[in-house]
Amino acid sequence: MADALWWLPSVVVFGLAGLLLAGSVVGFRRLAVRRERRALTGTRELEVRAKGLIVQADNATREAEREVAFAEAQFGEAAAREVRTAVTRARGWLREAFLLQQQLDDAEPDSAAERHTWSARIEGLCRSALGAIDEADAALAARRRAERGASDDAPALREDAERLGRRRDEARAALDRLATRFASSALAGVHASSVRIDAGLADADAALAEAQRGIAASQPAAERLAFASDRLERAARDLAAIEGIELELASAQAEAAEAAALLDAELVEGRRERDRQEDADAAAALGAAVGDASAVMAGRADLAGDPFADRDRLRAARDRLEVARAAARNAQGRLDGARGALGGAVAIAESQLRVAREAVERGRGVVGADARTRLAEAERQLIIARQEPDPVAALDAARRASARASDAEALAMWDSGHGAR
């Protein structure tokens, strides 16, 4: 009988395991439900804030739409374009926000994560719409403030224009006086400024007249006043340049005199270095630079009426002469250095030749043609080093003599050792 019930313990074990599994599943489901409820509770505050922002943004957009009509009537369609663009953008953001809010309000259940994401998006869209409308309103308010102050600004700008006109007449008289002393090339820049001043004052007068008519007719005038102010500011800068030209000319004359004195001193040194220069090419280049600089000094009378050009030519000639002098000094330095090193190089070559001759003589008939050829070439190069008038070339020959003598010695020793074996 006991053997017939062998399966009973297994049934009991499996049954208990099934009950435990079912209880775990139910427990986890209940835990997930509680978590979802807590998440939904935390999202409600965000949803309420998002709904309030929708109302606020919708009211602001509607108000801005009405403001567009007022702005167009007051300033024209072009001036109201910024507000209209802001309203269009805000209305697009609001449409998206309304669609998301509809999803939140429909009968279908949404997860806490979805509701949080949609509410956060609604909040961002509404804040963007409010920000765009606020910026457009601020710009429109600034324009209205400018229009309210236009009636006060116009008389002041008219006074500025009249004052600049008087300064323009005085500057023109000063230019006429300077034209009797200086060349037209020296006054070309300020003559161009004078032309710009005339055009700027004419533009400012026309803009001020138009603004006055607008103020009298209760029409926008701030834009024309701003244009007139800009033209007057440019005219003032050009007038300052004309009024300061006489001082600039005097300064250029002083600078030209200083540059001439410096160039004259450079010419004295340049001629002295040219006469002492041993390198023919360097002497020729330095002589050409000296000739050019001398021509510049001799031609100063042709530029007496243009101190700017006179100063610039003198400075350029001095720069070229300084470069030529530096190149000549470098060439002379190479000659002096070679001359100083030549004696030692010749002595080294002579010593190396003696050693090479002794190596060839010791080897007698064993020493081959290669060593003897190197020795003969070393002797020839040493003769060149003693007779060459150019110290650089002589130094090179002495060094070649040392190298050939060293080769001859090495070949003679190798031949001697090879013959001995």
Side-chain angles (χ1 to χ4, degrees):
M1 186 66 178
D3 293 338
L5 297 177
W6 61 269
W7 48 269
L8 185 58
S10 298
V11 171
V12 172
V13 171
F14 284 116
L16 290 173
L19 290 174
L20 289 173
L21 179 60
S24 299
V25 170
V26 171
F28 280 123
R29 286 181 177 177
R30 290 178 177 175
L31 180 60
V33 170
R34 286 196 296 270
R35 287 178 178 174
E36 183 70 12
R37 288 175 180 172
R38 286 197 297 270
L40 288 172
T41 302
T43 305
R44 287 195 185 97
E45 181 180 351
L46 178 58
E47 292 180 14
V48 172
R49 188 167 64 248
K51 287 181 177 180
L53 284 171
I54 283 181
V55 174
Q56 184 180 351
D58 187 48
N59 288 335
T61 304
R62 293 177 186 275
E63 181 64 28
E65 287 173 344
R66 290 190 293 270
E67 192 66 26
V68 169
F70 296 140
E72 289 179 348
Q74 185 177 10
F75 304 117
E77 184 177 353
R81 187 175 296 116
E82 184 176 357
V83 182
R84 183 178 294 280
T85 301
V87 170
T88 301
R89 294 169 60 197
R91 184 55 67 188
W93 287 325
L94 273 176
R95 279 197 295 271
E96 184 180 351
F98 284 135
L99 288 174
L100 292 173
Q101 187 61 47
Q102 180 63 34
Q103 288 179 313
L104 288 172
D105 295 339
D106 60 21
E108 295 182 8
D110 304 311
S111 67
E114 290 174 333
R115 298 184 73 85
H116 184 276
T117 300
W118 294 343
S119 298
R121 176 61 178 167
I122 291 171
E123 183 179 14
L125 290 168
C126 292
R127 293 192 185 281
S128 296
L130 289 169
I133 291 173
D134 287 343
E135 290 179 4
D137 285 344
L140 192 58
R143 187 180 182 89
R144 283 174 174 152
R145 286 194 299 271
E147 292 295 342
R148 285 194 295 269
S151 58
D152 297 330
D153 294 339
L157 289 174
R158 175 58 65 185
E159 291 179 3
D160 289 343
E162 293 173 355
R163 184 168 54 254
L164 288 175
R166 291 191 294 272
R167 286 176 58 190
R168 185 260 317 270
D169 296 338
E170 294 171 359
R172 185 175 294 162
L175 281 181
D176 292 339
R177 289 194 301 273
L178 291 174
T180 62
R181 297 165 47 201
F182 297 98
S184 59
S185 58
L187 302 174
V190 290
H191 279 309
S193 297
S194 179
V195 172
R196 289 195 301 270
I197 291 169
D198 291 341
L201 290 179
D203 291 343
D205 286 339
L208 286 171
E210 187 177 347
Q212 289 286 5
R213 290 193 296 271
I215 293 172
S218 298
Q219 293 178 351
E223 186 173 347
R224 300 309 299 165
L225 290 177
F227 176 81
S229 176
D230 176 70
R231 289 299 182 270
L232 292 176
E233 288 177 1
R234 295 184 184 184
R237 290 195 294 269
D238 285 328
L239 270 171
I242 295 177
E243 291 165 348
I245 188 61
E246 190 166 5
L247 289 177
E248 291 184 17
L249 287 167
S251 176
Q253 286 177 324
E255 291 171 353
E258 181 183 1
L262 293 173
L263 180 58
D264 189 58
E266 289 283 340
L267 280 169
V268 173
E269 293 298 325
R271 293 188 184 100
R272 185 179 295 116
E273 291 176 358
R274 177 199 58 191
D275 296 339
R276 292 199 309 262
Q277 182 59 244
E278 298 179 51
D279 187 292
D281 294 337
L286 181 54
V290 168
D292 292 342
S294 299
V296 170
M297 290 289 289
R300 288 194 65 200
D302 298 335
L303 297 175
D306 190 344
F308 299 123
D310 186 27
R311 176 198 60 192
D312 295 341
R313 283 189 63 190
L314 289 167
R315 287 176 174 176
R318 184 187 173 205
D319 290 341
R320 291 193 296 270
L321 183 56
E322 285 181 343
V323 171
R325 287 185 60 200
R329 286 194 295 270
N330 290 337
Q332 187 63 43
R334 288 194 297 271
L335 291 174
D336 294 341
R339 188 177 290 108
L342 180 59
V346 169
I348 292 172
E350 291 172 345
S351 175
Q352 189 63 47
L353 268 170
R354 285 194 297 271
V355 173
R357 288 193 191 99
E358 292 173 358
V360 171
E361 291 174 358
R362 282 197 303 270
R364 295 182 181 277
V366 177
V367 177
D370 291 341
R372 298 174 188 273
T373 300
R374 298 294 194 285
L375 180 61
E377 177 62 17
E379 291 171 344
R380 189 180 74 85
Q381 291 293 333
L382 182 58
I383 292 173
I384 292 173
R386 288 168 174 165
Q387 296 178 351
E388 174 62 51
D390 183 356
V392 175
L395 179 62
D396 291 340
R399 288 170 175 170
R400 285 194 297 272
S402 296
R404 300 299 182 272
S406 179
D407 293 342
E409 178 194 2
L411 289 170
M413 293 179 65
W414 190 90
D415 289 342
S416 298
H418 184 71
R421 290 194 298 272

